[in-house]
Amino acid sequence: MRKSMPHENHKGARMKNIAVFASGKGSNFGAIVRAAKKGIFKANLALLVCDNPKALVLGKAKRAAVKAVLVKREDFSSKSDFENNIIQHLEENKIDLIVMAGFMRILSAELVNRFRNKIINIHPALLPSFKGSRGIKDAFLYGVKVTGVTVHFVDELMDHGPIILQKEIKIEESDTLETLEAKIHKVEHKLYPQAIALFVEGKLRIEGRKVRISAL
Ligand code: GRF
């Protein structure tokens, strides 16, 4: 059997190209880089798209030798020009999957449509509860005893698309917001690479709101 090339999977097919979108610390980006190295999913981490020049994730991409593009909203007169520039980068790099990891902007319906069922997001709560940018804090302050992490496809609505994976996390009496945040991030860093693996292996099938996962 011919040895597979670095850009191919074991069946000789072209490996999928992933773009991660992030605006901040990038702990999920770091976890995705480590998972790719360990072979938890077999795909090329082809691009980081970042909109914030001060984001720590940019340094992480540099250290990991992942190509990064900084696309600042203020450099464009409209949201659609901004997104068209991002789309150009995605097309140049033949991106098959967009992984949203703390990208602090809502994607327009046009971009979502263009990459329909090829964009996934991670949310630090059990959707449909506690949508929005303060999912961990809102769940903690509400007093729920169980929260968790959700990975889902992105559609036109915020934190809304079909759910791929969820993992519950108990909130104990002794938990503070900080300990809960640490627990959530630990789970995120494991769950997101698993969801990416399912996508790149073609194991996800969307039926309405349900995501069917074929046997591993
Ligand atoms: C994560 O908690 C994720 O669930 C949310 O944004 C946060 C990003 O954190 N969407 P990091 O930048 O990956 O550390």
Side-chain angles (χ1 to χ4, degrees):
M1 198 175 77
R2 181 172 71 87
K3 210 168 159 245
S4 53
M5 304 292 283
H7 59 280
E8 293 175 349
N9 65 17
H10 64 282
K11 290 174 186 151
R14 178 177 76 81
M15 284 232 276
K16 290 202 162 61
N17 290 323
I18 296 178
V20 177
F21 281 34
S23 310
K25 221 165 55 180
S27 71
N28 279 283
F29 174 79
I32 291 166
V33 167
R34 290 192 296 279
K37 277 198 189 131
K38 279 196 213 155
I40 289 174
F41 60 82
K42 295 194 174 36
N44 299 318
L45 259 184
L47 190 65
L48 169 74
V49 175
C50 181
D51 64 336
N52 171 12
K54 294 195 180 122
L56 292 179
V57 70
L58 288 169
K60 289 191 171 141
K62 196 166 183 196
R63 286 192 291 281
V66 173
K67 178 172 173 184
V69 288
L70 176 63
V71 187
K72 292 190 282 174
R73 172 66 184 86
E74 59 268 31
D75 289 346
F76 300 89
S77 54
S78 69
K79 177 163 174 153
S80 91
D81 286 353
F82 165 70
E83 286 194 344
N84 282 336
N85 188 273
I86 292 178
I87 289 171
Q88 220 176 307
H89 289 296
L90 298 174
E91 287 178 346
E92 274 167 24
N93 290 281
K94 300 187 169 49
I95 296 301
D96 303 291
L97 171 66
I98 298 172
V99 174
M100 308 288 287
F103 191 66
M104 299 312 285
R105 280 175 199 282
I106 309 269
L107 303 180
S108 71
E110 287 73 33
L111 201 156
V112 171
N113 247 319
R114 185 97 171 223
F115 289 87
R116 173 70 57 190
N117 301 337
K118 289 179 181 165
I119 312 176
I120 61 175
N121 181 44
I122 192 158
H123 184 71
L126 291 177
L127 291 175
S129 293
F130 307 112
K131 294 179 179 180
S133 62
R134 301 184 348 147
I136 306 178
K137 193 172 183 185
D138 288 346
F140 184 75
L141 294 179
Y142 195 89
V144 292
K145 306 286 186 189
V146 180
T147 183
V149 173
T150 304
V151 180
H152 64 95
F153 281 104
V154 170
D155 67 8
E156 291 83 353
L157 303 176
M158 189 185 62
D159 298 333
H160 177 268
I163 291 170
I164 302 168
L165 293 176
Q166 283 188 307
K167 176 76 186 157
E168 75 286 358
I169 295 166
K170 274 193 181 167
I171 301 183
E172 310 287 353
E173 290 291 326
S174 57
D175 271 320
T176 61
L177 181 57
E178 290 68 37
T179 62
L180 179 61
E181 278 170 353
K183 282 190 198 176
I184 297 258
H185 293 313
K186 195 167 171 206
V187 169
E188 286 185 333
H189 298 164
K190 202 163 164 210
L191 202 66
Y192 221 179
Q194 286 172 359
I196 294 170
L198 291 170
F199 181 97
V200 300
E201 288 162 20
K203 290 188 169 145
L204 303 176
R205 193 161 40 89
I206 302 176
E207 285 176 15
R209 274 221 53 89
K210 291 210 169 70
V211 178
R212 304 284 181 197
I213 301 178
S214 40
L216 291 173

